[in-house]
Amino acid sequence: MISQFKHIFFTASLSHSLRKFPNFPSILPLPHLKAFSASHVLGRKMESEAPDRTLLLLAGKSNEENDVAKVLKDNNTLQLHKNGEEVEVILHPELETPFEDDAFQIGEYFNSLSTKRFGRLLIYSPKLSSTHDVISQNNSDLPVGTVCVADVQLKGRGRSSNLWQSPKGCLLFSFSIQMEDGRVVPHLQYVVCLAMTEAIKAICLEKGTPHLDVRIKWPNDLYLGGLKVGGILSTSVYRSKKFYVSAGVGLNVGNEKPTTCLNATLKRVNPLSRELKREDIIAAFFNKFENLYDVFLKQGFQALEGLYYQTWLHSGQRVIVQERSDDQDQFVENVVTIQGLTSSGYLLGITDDGQMCELHPDGNSFDFFRGLIKRKMS
């Protein structure tokens, strides 16, 4: 029986070109493959605001993942019932007509991927409502690490169910995770943020481009030069003694407006610099995430805190917080200095008189650092 418990973490926007922004059946033998044309499957509906038919192309890095993809298609497993959308599933070898030149390049991605679990089974769509919906609505039927990538998404999910449109140039993806210890699930978003900043560092070094100092703004935004360029969305559902986590990332790679993106910043630093590719970044992300995630599971987030604090924006930051007055009738404001994170994943602060406290968002402000509420720590 499915528990009704649902866990939604601090959720920043999954699209970040914003305003500010298994138990599989036995493997079946492969039949003769039918050829499909991308234009035939997509049709004109893909140009509308909300397509009622969504193309999902399945591809695997190895024969093992391709066999799983075959089973998923044959069993008609992937659905978007909650969205009211019809799903058209095809396998990568069935694609007769290639996608547009600026579409996600599956071969390039797999060539750069070196993981054992994460990112090896790919669900790709040129345009869909939300990559997060594809993963979250099918999570229990997918192998751990399955990733959904889109060139454009029309209803990207964000904090407090905000919807954001995501244009071409964004790196947009969500992937599946299964966890058993609910106490550490809230910290997962921090591991995802850290993996992305480490991936960007690695790609810049590998490609010989100028360093991009992408920083983490708690709880799950990515900033570059004072402007938001990305963020993380994590949700989970508890079912059959497991947390099925859907983690999503949105990153401005090539879409300069309305704020900035990685490639625009590179060009300002060095006009001759090579542009970064979405395929390289997401592969580097999973290469980093798999290692960080293993450390996280075995040793806890404490083993990653030092690296995390090197990357976030807040050590020593002084913020205004609210707490109830002595008569409990109103809130008063005080200044607190951020020291790090508490064991529960909230901000750890210290008052000017040396009192340690835990800082919580008020749940109303768009900016998490407005309306922080202080809670005393025992």
Side-chain angles (χ1 to χ4, degrees), residues 45-339:
K45 287 292 184 181
M46 292 305 295
E47 301 302 321
S48 67
E49 281 195 5
D52 54 15
R53 171 181 288 188
T54 298
L55 168 67
L56 299 179
L57 183 145
L58 307 184
K61 180 171 173 63
S62 71
N63 290 335
E64 182 179 353
E65 290 82 33
N66 284 322
D67 287 343
V68 172
K70 175 68 170 56
V71 172
L72 290 172
K73 180 189 176 183
D74 286 349
N75 291 351
N76 198 29
T77 302
L78 300 178
Q79 300 293 332
L80 287 171
H81 292 310
K82 294 181 180 179
N83 297 34
E85 297 176 28
E86 179 184 347
V87 173
E88 183 80 25
V89 177
I90 65 172
L91 303 177
H92 193 205
E94 298 173 351
L95 189 65
E96 185 180 58
T97 304
F99 295 107
E100 297 177 2
D101 291 341
D102 58 355
F104 187 80
Q105 300 299 308
I106 297 173
E108 291 184 19
Y109 163 64
F110 281 139
N111 286 340
S112 299
L113 187 71
S114 59
T115 61
K116 295 180 180 179
R117 291 169 294 159
F118 288 95
R120 296 178 63 90
L121 177 59
L122 170 70
I123 305 172
Y124 164 72
S125 181
K127 182 186 292 187
L128 46 61
S129 295
S130 166
T131 62
H132 204 82
D133 287 345
V134 173
I135 296 298
S136 63
Q137 293 183 32
N138 298 281
N139 203 332
S140 59
D141 295 314
L142 297 172
V144 171
T146 300
V147 60
C148 179
V149 176
D151 295 326
V152 175
Q153 63 179 9
L154 302 171
K155 296 181 180 179
R157 294 180 56 189
R159 182 187 172 209
S160 301
S161 299
N162 290 322
L163 301 179
W164 306 100
Q165 184 165 330
S166 316
K168 285 189 175 182
C170 291
L171 172 58
L172 307 163
F173 68 96
S174 300
F175 63 102
S176 63
I177 309 171
Q178 296 176 19
M179 304 180 70
E180 295 181 356
D181 188 352
R183 295 170 298 179
V184 302
V185 171
H187 288 83
L188 179 65
Q189 61 186 332
Y190 307 145
V191 182
V192 175
C193 285
L194 184 57
M196 182 52 76
T197 59
E198 290 297 297
I200 294 170
K201 292 178 188 176
I203 284 296
C204 288
L205 185 62
E206 177 186 336
K207 303 298 181 182
T209 67
H211 171 66
L212 292 173
D213 190 23
V214 177
R215 296 298 187 103
I216 299 169
K217 180 181 178 183
W218 184 87
N220 46 20
D221 285 339
L222 301 174
Y223 271 66
L224 176 60
L227 296 174
K228 183 175 178 178
V229 293
I232 313 302
L233 171 69
S234 295
T235 63
S236 74
V237 175
Y238 187 70
R239 179 189 295 121
S240 303
K241 298 182 179 182
K242 287 183 180 180
F243 290 89
Y244 290 87
V245 183
S246 305
V249 178
L251 181 69
N252 289 352
V253 177
N255 54 303
E256 184 171 358
K257 295 181 179 181
T259 56
T260 191
C261 64
L262 303 188
N263 284 332
T265 303
L266 283 176
K267 291 299 182 183
R268 284 194 293 270
V269 175
N270 181 1
L272 300 180
S273 178
R274 297 172 57 184
E275 291 192 344
L276 302 182
K277 295 182 178 181
R278 293 178 298 154
E279 297 82 0
D280 291 333
I281 295 175
I282 185 175
F285 166 81
F286 281 121
N287 295 341
K288 291 292 183 179
F289 177 80
E290 186 163 276
N291 293 329
L292 294 173
Y293 183 69
D294 286 342
V295 173
F296 173 58
L297 289 184
K298 295 175 182 177
Q299 304 177 43
F301 187 72
Q302 295 85 350
L304 302 176
E305 279 186 342
L307 184 59
Y308 182 83
Y309 293 148
Q310 291 175 22
T311 309
W312 81 336
L313 293 168
H314 309 299
S315 294
Q317 180 181 351
R318 291 173 64 80
V319 296
I320 297 175
V321 300
Q322 296 179 337
E323 60 181 327
R324 289 195 180 277
S325 59
D326 292 337
D327 56 15
Q328 298 292 306
D329 289 337
Q330 58 185 354
F331 282 99
V332 295
E333 292 186 343
N334 290 300
V335 177
V336 172
T337 303
I338 296 175
Q339 300 291 299

Side-chain angles (χ1 to χ4, degrees), residues 334-355:
N334 290 300
V335 177
V336 172
T337 303
I338 296 175
Q339 300 291 299
L341 296 173
T342 67
S343 59
S344 56
Y346 291 101
L347 292 172
L348 174 65
I350 185 170
T351 62
D352 288 342
D353 60 3
Q355 181 185 31

